[in-house]
Amino acid sequence: MTPLAISPPRSTPEPDISSIPQDAAMIPNSATPQALTVCIYVNKQANLGPYLDRKKVQQLPEHFGPERPSAALQQAVQACIDCALQQKAVFSLIKQGYGGEMVSVSASFEGKQHLLNLLVVNSIGYVLRFLKKLCRSLLCDNLFSNQPFQQYNAVSESPEVYENRQMEAGRLLDQLGLKI
């Protein structure tokens, strides 16, 4: 048997760029793709409906982002859960995503940590539509926007208004069949 001759691998030589001026050999910053980002503004004067605590909403940042759309969505949804009068109620209103890459939001109730997955999205329109539907479910108006809100001095709720919202949230939980 004769051994097979092994020939050296043939490769394409690297082009010689030594004669090209260094600055011309660099890729300009404008040629690199920029990641799509969104900024979600929080309207702290919004009608918050029966699910969200005004005092907690007042402590939120003025905006989430600029971030990738999925990161801004996650932060805004998590803020709604964190500002809930009853996390279980708000958590139950969030639509979970399936398939693809996910980001998670969490809530604590009934002595346990609960997780929901949201689809990673790259569309600003999707983020805005998702938040609009969530706010409609939360019975709050105009909480989020991709444009800044005119902020006014916050007026604290009177104890009576706060108590009425708590009672309304309890009635809605009963209607949803959820127990506190």
Side-chain angles (χ1 to χ4, degrees), residues 68-71 73-74 95-105 116-123 126 130:
R68 296 178 332 276
S70 57
L73 177 63
Q74 178 189 24
K95 306 296 182 227
Q96 179 161 312
Y98 296 97
E101 191 179 348
M102 302 285 181
V103 294
S104 295
V105 293
L116 275 179
N117 292 318
L118 304 175
L119 279 172
V120 169
V121 295
N122 292 318
S123 162
Y126 178 89
F130 186 100

Side-chain angles (χ1 to χ4, degrees), residues 43 45-54 57 83-86 90 93 134-143 157 161-162 164-170 172:
N43 181 3
Q45 310 312 314
N47 171 11
L48 298 178
Y51 294 102
L52 301 178
D53 184 331
R54 180 161 302 280
V57 169
C83 292
L85 293 168
Q86 296 292 328
V90 172
L93 296 173
L134 176 60
C135 287
R136 199 174 300 136
S137 297
L138 293 171
L139 305 174
C140 67
D141 299 324
N142 208 21
L143 180 59
E157 284 182 327
V161 171
Y162 181 80
N164 287 341
R165 286 190 336 106
Q166 288 278 52
M167 289 174 28
E168 180 64 22
L172 287 171

Side-chain angles (χ1 to χ4, degrees), residues 30-74:
S30 61
T32 57
Q34 297 295 317
L36 179 66
T37 61
V38 64
C39 198
I40 302 297
Y41 293 89
V42 179
N43 181 3
K44 296 182 181 186
Q45 310 312 314
N47 171 11
L48 298 178
Y51 294 102
L52 301 178
D53 184 331
R54 180 161 302 280
K55 291 176 186 172
K56 292 178 182 176
V57 169
Q58 294 302 317
Q59 295 173 2
L60 291 176
E62 300 298 316
H63 57 82
F64 301 106
E67 291 279 356
R68 296 178 332 276
S70 57
L73 177 63
Q74 178 189 24

Side-chain angles (χ1 to χ4, degrees), residues 78 81 87-88 91 105-109 112-115:
Q78 187 65 56
I81 294 168
Q87 285 194 352
K88 182 177 182 178
F91 194 74
V105 293
S106 63
S108 296
F109 52 88
K112 296 179 186 173
Q113 186 77 8
H114 301 266
L115 293 175

